[in-house]
Amino acid sequence: MKNRITVSISDMKISRKRGELLITHSLGSCLGLSAWDAVAGVGGLIHCLLPRASSPDVKNPFMYVNLGVPRMIRKMVSMGCTKGSMVFKAAGCGRMLLIQNQFDTGAQNLATLTALFAKNGVKLAAEDVGGSIPRTMSLDVETGLVTISSQGKEWEI
Amino acid sequence: MISRDEIISQTSSLPQIPAPVARIMTYLGKPDADLNTVASFIEYDPGLTVNVLRMANSSFFGGGGAITTVKDALFRLGMRRIVQMVIASGVAPNARGPVSGYGLARGELLRFSIAIGVAAELVAAKTGIAAPDYTFTAGLLSNIGKVVMGKFLEMDPGPVLSLAAKENVSFEQAERTLFGIDHAELGAILLKRWELPEPIVTCVRWHLDPCSAPAQDVALDLVHVGRVLATMAGIGQGVDGLSYHVCQASFDRLKLTPEAATASMEGMVSGLEEIEAILGQV
């Protein structure tokens, strides 16, 4: 049985313990992003509530895609991960029905991640985003397996 | 398939509203109700007293500490506000347990409910709107119908989810099609049975769809928008997830900007912890 490490809203966890599973529940419009480096044996998972911070000086950078994601990557690089061997997978970014674009946080979270990755020449290996389902996302630190569960079903991405 | 009438009859299987809350509400219906008597009713119940004092002292409700008696709390925050807190702390325990029909573990429905109340108040603050006293309480109670549908009746959400996906309709529209009633209307029926104030009942009835409400109400708009923000944040989500309509007219009436919505979501995450620590223990 894997040791489950919960990543809450506006939170980030990194692990290199083979028996650990990083897991985040209740991804609505939030972005869940996993990063895994098979060579370094390190995995990271972040749960961002909002796309951008209004200023760089915030209490919790992991709340925001534009601050939290680079911080997670920098931390993993400091633990031996390299840009070439890291695998990124995204989930969440759901939307409510009939929501107007300017309030569609899910789409904005995804757009911010996409722009950030494009700027840095990084690609997503997989994504399970959009729609109106709630998602739980987990990363197995040992195997790099990313699993999504929702409404009683479970699948890998 | 269970009928609308059978579902409504199940509201009687829920615990009644706590006696001290009922007593206070009955008393407040009298034209000569006075503050000292209300304070003594609250003080008669140690649990209520503790909760009222903790909420009155919480930074979220602007108490700022140093309130040690119910009378002080009434004086500082006003009688109507305190009564809302009494209702909140009396009714919240009903939402604390797991709600299997909606796939909610213990504590999740209460967390979602608190987030809605907190977000509604924050939206008011960010838009400079004076929120009616009952806004927080209406937000907190807005999901009470889920307790009946999902806990006592243990509705199988499968057919509702399938219908919502197939017809591309909201979760509550699918509930209405299958059962003749949705959890918002059922919640309002329950609160009416408990004789809660009419503005709260109306807010709960229409909080999923203020665009169809017979009358506009600023608290209803605040609770709807608060619910949208809490849902997007993923707080206490069940199987129904984000499968609900957003009424843009509520956003327009509140003149909510995307910046104010973002700031409200930021504040909701921290405000939630404080109120949950108080109401989560009741």
Side-chain angles (χ1 to χ4, degrees):
Chain A
M1 188 69 177
K2 300 272 180 183
N3 185 26
R4 295 155 75 93
I5 309 294
T6 301
V7 180
S8 23
I9 301 171
S10 306
D11 189 14
M12 187 274 290
K13 293 275 177 9
I14 293 173
S15 171
R16 62 183 348 148
K17 293 183 186 159
R18 295 168 70 87
E20 284 190 343
L21 191 77
L22 304 180
I23 185 162
T24 193
H25 302 279
S26 273
L27 284 168
S29 297
C30 298
L31 166 76
L33 180 74
S34 67
W36 188 66
D37 188 314
V39 182
V42 176
L45 183 63
I46 189 169
H47 183 144
C48 301
L49 176 71
L50 294 163
R52 315 194 134 267
S54 50
S55 90
D57 183 27
V58 293
K59 220 190 285 181
N60 179 5
F62 303 122
M63 184 177 276
Y64 309 95
V65 177
N66 74 322
L67 298 182
V69 171
R71 192 171 281 226
M72 177 173 80
I73 294 172
R74 280 200 297 273
K75 176 73 182 164
M76 289 180 71
V77 167
S78 78
M79 293 169 74
C81 300
T82 59
K83 189 176 158 184
S85 57
M86 285 171 90
V87 175
F88 296 96
K89 295 182 179 180
C93 304
R95 75 192 305 265
M96 293 184 73
L97 310 175
L98 307 178
I99 194 160
Q100 300 286 305
N101 289 341
Q102 74 267 34
F103 294 104
D104 189 349
T105 308
Q108 290 162 19
N109 281 335
L110 187 61
T112 303
L113 180 76
T114 306
L116 185 71
F117 274 13
K119 192 176 157 193
N120 291 284
V122 178
K123 283 193 173 150
L124 275 176
E127 61 180 46
D128 190 282
V129 294
S132 59
I133 60 166
R135 293 172 171 91
T136 289
M137 178 187 201
S138 67
L139 168 68
D140 187 321
V141 177
E142 185 174 348
T143 61
L145 207 67
V146 175
T147 306
I148 307 295
S149 57
S150 178
Q151 298 175 332
K153 296 182 187 125
E154 196 173 286
W155 59 94
E156 290 167 20
I157 62 168
Chain B
M1 185 72 68
I2 190 164
S3 73
R4 174 186 163 90
D5 290 344
E6 285 172 299
I7 291 171
I8 291 172
S9 72
Q10 289 297 315
T11 56
S12 58
S13 63
L14 264 185
Q16 285 302 300
I17 195 161
V21 178
R23 195 180 309 123
I24 290 163
M25 287 191 323
T26 304
Y27 176 73
L28 285 169
K30 296 181 176 178
D32 56 346
D34 75 87
L35 191 142
N36 285 329
T37 309
V38 174
S40 66
F41 277 153
I42 295 172
E43 283 165 346
Y44 184 73
D45 185 285
L48 268 187
T49 302
V50 168
N51 285 326
V52 163
L53 290 179
R54 291 181 71 190
M55 288 177 83
N57 279 310
S58 72
S59 57
F60 182 75
F61 285 108
I67 292 177
T68 55
T69 69
V70 174
K71 265 187 210 162
D72 281 350
L74 283 164
F75 185 72
R76 182 91 65 90
L77 299 184
M79 182 147 76
R80 290 169 62 87
R81 185 62 144 167
I82 297 297
V83 169
Q84 300 306 315
M85 291 179 179
V86 167
I87 295 172
S89 70
V91 177
N94 283 302
R96 193 173 44 190
V99 187
S100 54
Y102 289 84
L104 291 159
R106 181 178 174 79
E108 286 185 330
L109 186 66
L110 182 58
R111 188 172 306 125
F112 181 45
S113 305
I114 294 170
I116 295 171
V118 166
E121 292 263 352
L122 285 169
V123 167
K126 301 289 177 199
T127 50
I129 290 170
D133 293 322
Y134 55 89
T135 305
F136 176 79
T137 314
L140 182 74
L141 300 180
S142 58
N143 284 300
I144 199 80
K146 277 188 176 177
V147 179
V148 186
M149 294 273 260
K151 188 170 165 180
F152 286 84
L153 296 171
E154 294 194 355
M155 293 291 192
D156 175 8
V160 184
L161 290 168
S162 301
L163 182 67
K166 192 174 138 203
E167 304 282 336
N168 196 27
V169 296
S170 67
F171 191 85
E172 91 272 16
Q173 279 176 299
E175 278 184 334
R176 279 202 303 277
T177 303
L178 285 176
F179 308 127
I181 192 166
D182 60 48
H183 64 269
E185 186 185 357
L186 186 62
I189 290 169
L190 175 68
L191 296 181
K192 199 166 186 173
R193 182 167 290 179
W194 282 352
E195 298 179 346
L196 287 198
E198 186 57 35
I200 293 180
V201 175
T202 305
C203 236
V204 171
R205 169 65 185 90
W206 297 105
H207 80 283
L208 293 174
D209 185 18
C211 286
S212 302
Q216 289 177 17
D217 170 24
V218 69
L220 172 60
D221 287 332
L222 288 168
V223 170
H224 177 70
V225 171
R227 187 183 196 283
V228 170
L229 300 185
T231 302
M232 289 202 303
I235 295 165
Q237 272 195 6
V239 293
D240 43 347
L242 297 91
S243 183
Y244 292 94
H245 284 147
V246 173
C247 172
Q248 180 60 30
S250 285
F251 283 68
D252 295 342
R253 283 193 287 266
L254 297 172
K255 297 188 172 56
L256 185 70
T257 62
E259 293 74 25
T262 298
S264 301
M265 281 177 88
E266 286 170 339
M268 175 178 66
V269 173
S270 51
L272 173 65
E273 284 174 21
E274 188 183 17
I275 305 302
E276 193 179 9
I278 298 170
L279 289 178
Q281 292 171 9
V282 296

